[in-house]
Amino acid sequence: MRSLRRHPRLFAVLVCAVAVLAARPTTSDDDLGDGPDAGLSVQVARLYADAAAATQRYEEVRRAADVQAAEVSRLGQLLDRERQEIAVHHEELGRIARAQYRDSGGLPLAAQIVFAGNPEELMRGQQVFSRRNVAVANAIGKGRRAEARLTADEARAATAWQALERRRAELDGIKKNIEEKLEEARWQLQGQANASVAAGSCRGAVRLDQPQTRFTSAWVAPVEGYQLSAGFGSGGAHWARRHTGQDFAVPIGTPVRAVGEGRVVSVSCGGAFGIEVVLEHDGGYYTQYAHLAAVTVDQGDRVATGQWIGQSGTTGNSTGPHLHFEVRVTPQLGSSVDPVPWLAERGVHVG
């Protein structure tokens, strides 16, 4: 076993662990949009970003801790093996000593020389025993040195692992705190949306600072981190005939994206779809995004692929937080096509 710098893998793990420990979250209560001038939409968007960042840091530390725990286990196994080898060498040295005592009869070296039939035979015998003694003693010494190095490496690895575990617990607390604030803000945003729908008067667009993204494809899914729920054409008590779109189950406040480049045809509030946005795309197709909690665009706006156009919610005739997504051949209800194969034809596979 060499030193840590002579073991690149272990040294790299410890360097990465130190780097992760240095990357402490900068989020504080003042950064979460809690001020009186911060709208709920802005607050939810900021909390989403903070929660994502905290989760990423937590996962980085968790992975580093898992690697470090595996290294501690590996070093412990090597240490056990080294100790077993030392015990074997000790047993071998004892066996040699017992054999030498039996062969010499316990006589002093002078007496062995006198009674030896041949001096050369006596010398050869002594040299053999001496070489074996030296070899076993050297093996024991080498094993002891290796054991000492392994013990030191194991202690350093265990210290790094414990530091990572403490950091993981700290990040877990930060992450849970952000998630609790996010959940509270989500329902406040939904309450605000419900009040707007009840009054039949939607608030204007909330211009959110969204991350700079460069999509390599012309089309994307309308949300991230979803689960598919009600599909196109399915039956149910909530629809007059058949379900006219695809539902994406997501938490309230999830950013809703334009699936492709287009123009905002309408932003409306009220009715079965609650707060909704309809986009027009090249090729004669329209997409609808319904049951929103907030919108981030106004009628007539041009939108890019992946641009945030709203935040998901559960307004209108909705059984829970989700995005109702439709593809139509006209802006009006009643001209929808199955959005899943429509997206698949454009390279977007949902499921």
Side-chain angles (χ1 to χ4, degrees):
M1 186 73 181
R2 298 179 181 177
S3 67
L4 285 175
R5 289 190 177 273
R6 293 179 182 175
H7 274 270
R9 190 169 75 87
L10 177 56
F11 185 69
V13 167
L14 291 175
V15 169
C16 290
V18 171
V20 170
L21 284 169
R24 291 180 172 268
T26 57
T27 300
S28 66
D29 288 345
D30 294 335
D31 298 325
L32 299 179
D34 292 332
D37 296 331
L40 283 171
S41 290
V42 175
Q43 183 182 349
V44 169
R46 288 178 180 174
L47 284 165
Y48 260 107
D50 289 342
T55 298
Q56 181 180 358
R57 286 191 290 267
Y58 174 84
E59 289 301 314
E60 287 171 355
V61 172
R62 181 191 62 77
R63 287 191 293 269
D66 289 344
V67 170
Q68 202 62 43
E71 186 63 18
V72 173
S73 176
R74 186 186 73 85
L75 288 170
Q77 292 173 359
L78 288 176
L79 193 54
D80 289 342
R81 193 180 312 157
E82 197 66 46
R83 286 167 178 163
Q84 291 172 3
E85 291 178 1
I86 291 172
V88 170
H89 291 319
H90 269 295
E91 179 61 29
E92 177 67 8
L93 188 60
R95 190 189 66 77
I96 291 172
R98 291 191 296 273
Q100 187 176 18
Y101 180 80
R102 286 195 302 271
D103 293 344
S104 66
L107 295 175
L109 180 58
Q112 294 178 44
I113 293 173
V114 170
F115 290 108
N118 185 321
E120 292 181 359
E121 180 184 346
L122 175 64
M123 293 302 296
R124 282 197 300 271
Q126 288 295 323
Q127 287 172 357
V128 169
F129 277 120
S130 178
R131 283 196 297 269
R132 293 185 68 183
N133 283 339
V134 170
V136 173
N138 285 342
I140 292 175
K142 182 179 177 181
R144 290 294 185 198
R145 290 189 294 274
E147 181 185 4
R149 286 193 296 269
L150 280 170
T151 300
D153 288 346
E154 184 185 38
R156 281 190 288 269
T159 298
W161 170 70
Q162 290 165 1
L164 286 167
E165 284 293 287
R166 288 193 297 271
R167 182 64 179 142
R168 179 164 68 168
E170 178 185 346
L171 282 171
D172 186 50
I174 292 172
K175 182 166 155 299
K176 287 180 179 177
N177 179 261
I178 294 173
E179 288 171 349
E180 288 172 0
K181 290 185 177 183
L182 175 58
E183 184 66 10
E184 181 180 358
R186 280 172 178 155
W187 287 106
Q188 289 178 353
L189 177 64
Q190 182 60 46
Q192 189 179 69
N194 290 340
S196 297
V197 170
S201 175
C202 291
R203 296 179 297 125
V206 179
R207 304 298 181 177
L208 299 176
D209 291 331
Q210 50 189 301
Q212 295 295 322
T213 54
R214 295 178 181 270
F215 293 99
T216 57
S217 60
W219 301 91
V220 296
V223 286
E224 293 182 293
Y226 58 83
Q227 287 187 338
L228 295 182
S229 49
F232 179 81
S234 58
H238 292 277
W239 310 297
R241 294 180 180 85
R242 292 287 178 177
H243 193 232
T244 54
Q246 175 62 57
D247 287 350
F248 293 79
V250 286
I252 293 168
T254 299
V256 175
R257 309 184 299 191
V259 295
E261 184 181 356
R263 181 179 65 88
V264 180
V265 173
S266 65
V267 177
S268 58
C269 178
F273 288 118
I275 300 174
E276 63 169 327
V277 173
V278 176
L279 305 181
E280 179 184 14
H281 306 279
D282 291 340
Y285 286 99
Y286 299 81
T287 53
Q288 178 207 30
Y289 310 78
H291 304 308
L292 302 178
V295 295
T296 62
V297 291
D298 287 317
Q299 184 172 330
D301 286 353
R302 294 292 305 180
V303 295
T305 298
Q307 180 179 331
W308 292 356
I309 59 173
Q311 292 168 296
S312 66
T314 182
T315 54
N317 183 16
S318 172
T319 58
H322 72 283
L323 170 70
H324 174 86
F325 175 72
E326 282 193 21
V327 177
R328 301 172 178 170
V329 295
T330 71
Q332 289 78 32
L333 178 66
S335 61
S336 59
V337 298
D338 192 340
V340 173
W342 186 87
L343 286 171
E345 289 172 3
R346 289 154 179 78
V348 181
H349 299 278
V350 297

